Amino acid sequence: MSELKLCQGSRCHTYTTKDRLKGSKDNKTFQTRRRSSMYYGSGNFCSMNCYNDWAETFIDRAVDHFGRLTEPKHLTEDNAWRKQYDWHGGSDDRTHLYYFINEITKERRTITEEQYDDRSYTLNTN
Ligand SMILES: [Zn+2]
C-alpha cells in the first residue's frame, strides 16, 4: 500500500467535514486530510479550496523565492516552438502526426510520439 500524504493546505483542518474528524472516542479532532493521492496542485492538495488557501498564504513568498518577473518576457523564434498533433490516415487506420510548430516562423518539424509525450523535450532555447 502506498504511503499517505498530508494535504498541504494551511487551513485543511478548519473545514469541519466528517472525514476530517479523527481520533479516539473522547478525543476526536478535525485534522488535515491524509490521502494516498490528491488531484490538486501537483498532488499536494485535497481540494481547490486547500490549494487556494495555500496560495493566498504563501504565493507572494513563493514568487519572490523563485524569482519575480521584473520585465516582460518576449516570444521570439528561439522560444516559439509548440508541440501539436494532427489526425493522419484513413478511417480504419487513424494515427497522429506529431510535430513542433514555430509560432513566429510557422516552420514545422515532425517528431515521434515519444518526443511529443516527453514534457522535457523542447526545441525552445530560452
Ligand atoms: Zn486539504
Side-chain angles (χ1 to χ4, degrees):
M1 190 176 156
S2 61
E3 205 157 301
L4 296 179
K5 300 192 322 185
L6 285 167
C7 172
Q8 295 302 302
S10 44
R11 295 174 22 178
C12 191
H13 62 289
T14 68
Y15 298 109
T16 55
T17 59
K18 260 187 178 173
D19 70 297
R20 288 180 172 97
L21 192 58
K22 306 266 184 188
S24 57
K25 210 176 185 182
D26 305 324
N27 198 18
K28 286 189 185 294
T29 56
F30 290 101
Q31 298 180 14
T32 300
R33 275 181 173 153
R34 282 170 238 235
R35 300 254 170 97
S36 56
S37 67
M38 289 178 266
Y39 302 108
Y40 303 94
S42 298
N44 288 299
F45 302 95
C46 73
S47 67
M48 272 314 285
N49 264 348
C50 284
Y51 187 26
N52 289 335
D53 288 341
W54 185 92
E56 199 174 290
T57 307
F58 297 112
I59 198 75
D60 279 335
R61 279 192 268 166
V63 169
D64 285 336
H65 178 79
F66 294 108
R68 184 174 292 275
L69 283 184
T70 55
E71 293 182 10
K73 292 182 167 188
H74 298 264
L75 189 66
T76 65
E77 285 181 34
D78 294 336
N79 62 15
W81 292 102
R82 188 162 303 165
K83 288 177 181 176
Q84 287 192 354
Y85 66 85
D86 288 337
W87 291 105
H88 184 68
S91 57
D92 294 338
D93 184 29
R94 288 212 159 192
T95 57
H96 291 102
L97 182 66
Y98 300 94
Y99 57 93
F100 274 108
I101 184 161
N102 190 297
E103 298 290 345
I104 301 293
T105 64
K106 303 302 176 193
E107 181 186 344
R108 279 181 178 221
R109 291 190 195 167
T110 302
I111 56 174
T112 66
E113 184 174 357
E114 289 72 30
Q115 289 169 327
Y116 181 87
D117 291 337
D118 180 353
R119 297 184 86 188
S120 65
Y121 183 70
T122 182
L123 298 177
N124 294 324
T125 55
N126 62 35

